[in-house]
Amino acid sequence: MPGKSRTIRKEIKKKQRQRRRQKQAQQRDKQLEEEEAEKQKVIDPEYQKWQKQQLEWEEFERLASERQQQDEEEAWLRREALAQRQFQLDAAERRCEEDKINRLREQQAQELASIKEQQRQRREERKRMADRAAAEFESMMKTMDEYLNDTDTLKPPPLELQRLVETHPQERLCEFFTRTNCCRFGHTCSHNHRRPMLAKILLIRHFFSHPLLKLTSSDDYLELTEHDLRDSYDEFFHDAVAELEKFGKIVNFRALRNTLDYLRGHVFVEYAQERHALRAFINLQGRYYASRQLNVEFSNLKGWRGAVCGT
Ligand SMILES: [Zn+2]
């Protein structure tokens, strides 16, 4: 029966609609209830208090977090500022050190330049002195040559040759050298040694030599006597005078029989004229006698007594 089944279907559909509507109504009611509960809650003073506290707490946390962040930022900025300051201090210190080093280098360079300049000036001064000495020597040789070859034999020596040579003109005279023309300090003596450029007297150092004059212990030369020394000296005297007479007239001949190293065997020869002495000087200087090189110089000995204590 189709009519019946349609009715049933209608009924079923009707039921279904009813259920749907009921469900919707239930849902609506539930929502309304919830909304109502919510409204109730909002107006509940406890809830409002709790909510207020909650909000205060959240605000406090936010502020605390903000504050912490700010503190951290400030700390970082302080560290950064300190680091910057330290960097600037280090840089300033480095610059200061570099300046110091540069100044030191500059100073050293200046000192070196000054030393080099002084050395150059000293070299130039030495060269000037050497040149002047060489020129003076040349001039002196020429003057000596002219004086030696002058036919007027009675003419006194030129003024240039009558000069005195001094080792330390500012110092006081060396007494020993002045008295004997010898000094145990030789060229190293700090006092003034004054000698003539030309004189009638010649000093020939260590000209006479004999073992007895070198005596340090008499035992070494027991067999030698004063008589041996006398014989040797006589022989030397005759030989030397014969040689020295070739240059001019000799008026005095004295030998030192002193055993001191710096006096031993020195011979003083006095010629009648400076010209003779000069001739002897030129011929004997550097020549060998008895296998020893002769060392000759002009002497301004004032008296024999002070200088010579032997024959
Ligand atoms: Zn002296």
Side-chain angles (χ1 to χ4, degrees), residues 42-229:
V42 169
I43 56 166
D44 181 7
E46 278 302 310
Y47 176 75
Q48 285 179 341
K49 196 180 167 192
W50 173 84
Q51 202 179 28
K52 198 181 167 206
Q53 279 178 343
Q54 201 65 26
L55 282 172
E56 278 173 357
W57 178 246
E58 277 172 14
E59 180 63 10
F60 173 78
E61 277 201 326
R62 191 184 61 78
L63 284 172
S65 156
E66 218 170 66
R67 182 65 196 264
Q68 192 186 353
Q69 204 177 339
Q70 207 177 340
D71 283 353
E72 279 173 8
E73 243 169 58
E74 278 173 10
W76 185 85
L77 283 172
R78 271 198 303 277
R79 278 201 303 276
E80 185 61 19
L82 275 173
Q84 281 284 341
R85 173 93 188 119
Q86 192 57 49
F87 178 78
Q88 281 166 359
L89 282 175
D90 288 350
E93 204 174 317
R94 266 201 307 279
R95 270 200 304 279
C96 190
E97 282 294 313
E98 279 168 12
D99 283 355
K100 218 186 279 178
I101 289 169
N102 285 339
R103 271 202 304 278
L104 210 64
R105 278 198 190 127
E106 211 172 293
Q107 198 181 334
Q108 281 175 340
Q110 278 174 358
E111 279 170 11
L112 191 68
S114 160
I115 289 170
K116 280 187 175 169
E117 175 59 18
Q118 282 172 8
Q119 285 175 339
R120 191 189 63 78
Q121 283 178 358
R122 275 203 294 275
R123 267 201 306 276
E124 273 189 7
E125 180 59 24
R126 275 201 297 274
K127 191 179 177 310
R128 265 201 302 278
M129 281 170 73
D131 288 349
R132 197 163 53 225
E136 275 176 14
F137 181 76
E138 277 297 312
S139 157
M140 188 66 60
M141 291 305 285
K142 193 164 165 271
T143 311
M144 282 181 175
D145 205 41
E146 282 167 4
Y147 172 62
L148 274 182
N149 294 312
D150 198 336
T151 44
D152 182 2
T153 52
L154 293 176
K155 206 159 104 181
L159 287 177
E160 195 183 352
L161 297 183
Q162 289 184 35
R163 282 189 300 136
L164 290 169
V165 183
E166 299 184 85
T167 51
H168 300 288
Q170 316 299 331
E171 301 298 327
R172 69 178 177 81
L173 284 172
C174 173
E175 281 178 30
F176 204 75
F177 186 86
T178 306
R179 191 158 55 84
T180 64
N181 274 187
C182 306
C183 170
R184 66 194 168 111
F185 300 114
H187 297 300
T188 60
C189 181
S190 58
H191 295 135
N192 191 15
H193 289 182
R194 185 186 279 165
R195 63 178 89 233
M197 189 71 94
L198 175 68
K200 289 178 184 173
I201 304 173
L202 274 185
L203 162 60
I204 310 171
R205 292 180 187 272
H206 308 298
F207 197 10
F208 175 56
S209 160
H210 190 272
L212 274 185
L213 295 185
K214 292 177 186 170
L215 204 57
T216 48
S217 153
S218 53
D219 293 340
D220 295 344
Y221 298 107
L222 269 181
E223 72 277 18
L224 288 173
T225 62
E226 184 67 25
H227 187 72
D228 292 321
L229 176 64

